[in-house]
Amino acid sequence: MKILFWLPQADATAWLDGLSRALPGAELRAWQPGDTAPADYAVVWHPPRELFATQPDLCAVFNLGAGVDAILALERESPGTLPRDALLVRLEDSGMAPQMAEYVQHAVLRYLRRFDEYTLQQARREWHVLAPHPLETFTVGVLGLGVLGAHVARAVASLGVPVRGFSRSAKTLDGIETFSGELRGPQFDAFLADVKVLVNLLPATPDTENVLDARTFGKLPSGAYLVNVARGAHLVEQDLVDALANGTLSAATLDVFNHEPLADDHPFWREPRITITPHSSALTLREEAISQVADKIEALARGETVSGIVNTARGY
Ligand code: NAP
Ligand code: GLV
């Protein structure tokens, strides 16, 4: 079996060594421009379009992350880029869910206990005790109840705050109030009412693009908080700036941006109520990812089905 590997800005050696230990019979190679030899599987993150140009026989493309928006954008921009019969398989958790839970728990606790405001006070050398927000009304709303969203919702509920979640299809999760339906529809608006901290864990698709906009912010209680750990394409940046300026939102924690790295002169850097991290809320862990991908390649090679297959029409 022949496997292509592509991971920009990383040393491919450790990945290829790990993959060859996990799949001893496989012929592995790091893809390079000009490489047109056929392969059975591709293991990639943010691949260039050219990688697929001479690979009509790929059985499956493994995405080294949960979100497949970058690969599907290639297909949307130029239909036929992805081999027609190849499965697209994304990472399912593989060590990302606990990282995401820690990140979101930290953001929620920080806002609940008003550390964001104490940081601003410290810069001004001010000593004022601020009453913490009441736990029982500090409702956290998680947008997207998939592999990561459901895990995060449960982790946040363990802090003792009320948690609700929104997904496309109906879900039941112990201890979580669930809503489902269309974004911007009546169930979405009902979900947003009372949400003090809105956490975004949706995939980036044509349906979810720009969902974090003035309309959505306006349905939250005044002075709510935003935590975006999904994709920059979900956020209308100017609407966030305006919402902070007019008090619709109190603060935001952003891990993802429309253009990464965030440009030096981006106004978000200068807004003290915006906390910025460099797309680091949940990193792809090498050993966990290799083990998941290798198990699935072996299963597919045996003719079995695997989980994590992307519905390319739906976009996730
Ligand atoms: P997932 O398992 O596919 O879950 C996606 C969830 O979003 C599902 O609950 C789905 O609803 C819901 N959804 C999708 N489209 C919707 C729509 N139009 N309206 C309402 N709900 C919709 O994905 P995941 O593994 O949890 O990952 C989620 C995203 O997190 C990824 O796509 C990626 O962008 C992001 N991510 C970011 C980082 C980071 O470091 N910042 C790391 C990993 C992942 P159904 O359940 O009804 O289908
Ligand atoms: C990271 O952003 C991922 O989608 O896994």
Side-chain angles (χ1 to χ4, degrees), residues 45 65-67 96 231 279:
W45 178 244
M96 284 186 275
R231 284 292 185 265
H279 201 140

Side-chain angles (χ1 to χ4, degrees), residues 45 65-69 90-93 96 99-100 143-150 166-171 180-183 188 200-208 228-231 234 255-256 260 278-284 314-316:
W45 178 244
V68 289
D69 41 299
R90 53 63 167 248
L91 286 185
E92 298 173 281
D93 180 351
M96 284 186 275
Q99 298 175 66
M100 202 55 106
L143 262 179
L145 288 175
V147 173
L148 299 180
F166 186 84
S167 53
R168 189 142 80 161
S169 58
K171 305 246 179 291
S180 58
E182 285 194 11
L183 295 171
F188 181 66
N200 179 35
L201 268 164
L202 289 169
T205 70
D207 287 343
T208 66
N228 187 18
V229 278
R231 284 292 185 265
H234 291 125
D255 185 48
V256 285
E260 298 179 359
H279 201 140
S280 55
S281 53
L283 304 174
T284 293
R314 208 175 54 171
Y316 69 100

Side-chain angles (χ1 to χ4, degrees), residues 47-245:
R49 184 185 305 282
E50 188 195 345
L51 181 146
F52 298 110
T54 56
Q55 298 296 336
D57 299 329
L58 281 178
C59 307
V61 176
F62 286 87
N63 181 59
L64 286 176
V68 289
D69 41 299
I71 290 190
L72 292 183
L74 296 177
E75 179 66 21
R76 247 194 317 278
E77 283 155 16
S78 177
T81 296
L82 294 178
R84 201 162 52 102
D85 297 325
L87 300 172
L88 175 58
V89 187
R90 53 63 167 248
L91 286 185
E92 298 173 281
D93 180 351
S94 70
M96 284 186 275
Q99 298 175 66
M100 202 55 106
E102 286 167 6
Y103 185 103
V104 176
Q105 281 182 325
H106 176 273
V108 168
L109 284 175
R110 182 160 167 263
Y111 293 136
L112 175 73
R113 294 299 308 268
R114 304 178 71 167
F115 271 68
D116 57 318
E117 291 168 80
Y118 284 127
T119 304
L120 300 179
Q121 283 195 177
Q122 182 174 342
R124 299 191 297 263
R125 301 185 188 197
E126 281 177 14
W127 182 280
H128 298 301
V129 175
L130 304 170
H133 295 289
L135 194 73
E136 56 286 357
T137 56
F138 204 69
T139 303
V140 176
V142 181
L143 262 179
L145 288 175
V147 173
L148 299 180
H151 186 90
V152 163
R154 289 194 186 96
V156 171
S158 75
L159 300 175
V161 291
V163 179
R164 52 176 63 173
F166 186 84
S167 53
R168 189 142 80 161
S169 58
K171 305 246 179 291
T172 308
L173 274 118
D174 269 359
I176 316 291
E177 191 184 2
T178 54
F179 297 73
S180 58
E182 285 194 11
L183 295 171
R184 303 180 181 88
Q187 280 303 301
F188 181 66
D189 293 352
F191 157 79
L192 294 173
D194 302 332
V195 164
K196 301 282 174 25
V197 184
L198 181 64
V199 177
N200 179 35
L201 268 164
L202 289 169
T205 70
D207 287 343
T208 66
E209 195 178 349
N210 294 337
V211 67
L212 304 176
D213 63 358
R215 182 195 182 281
T216 294
F217 301 150
K219 300 285 174 190
L220 299 168
S222 173
Y225 302 87
L226 173 69
V227 179
N228 187 18
V229 278
R231 284 292 185 265
H234 291 125
L235 176 65
V236 180
E237 294 188 345
Q238 188 58 46
D239 287 3
L240 172 60
V241 172
D242 294 345
L244 290 169

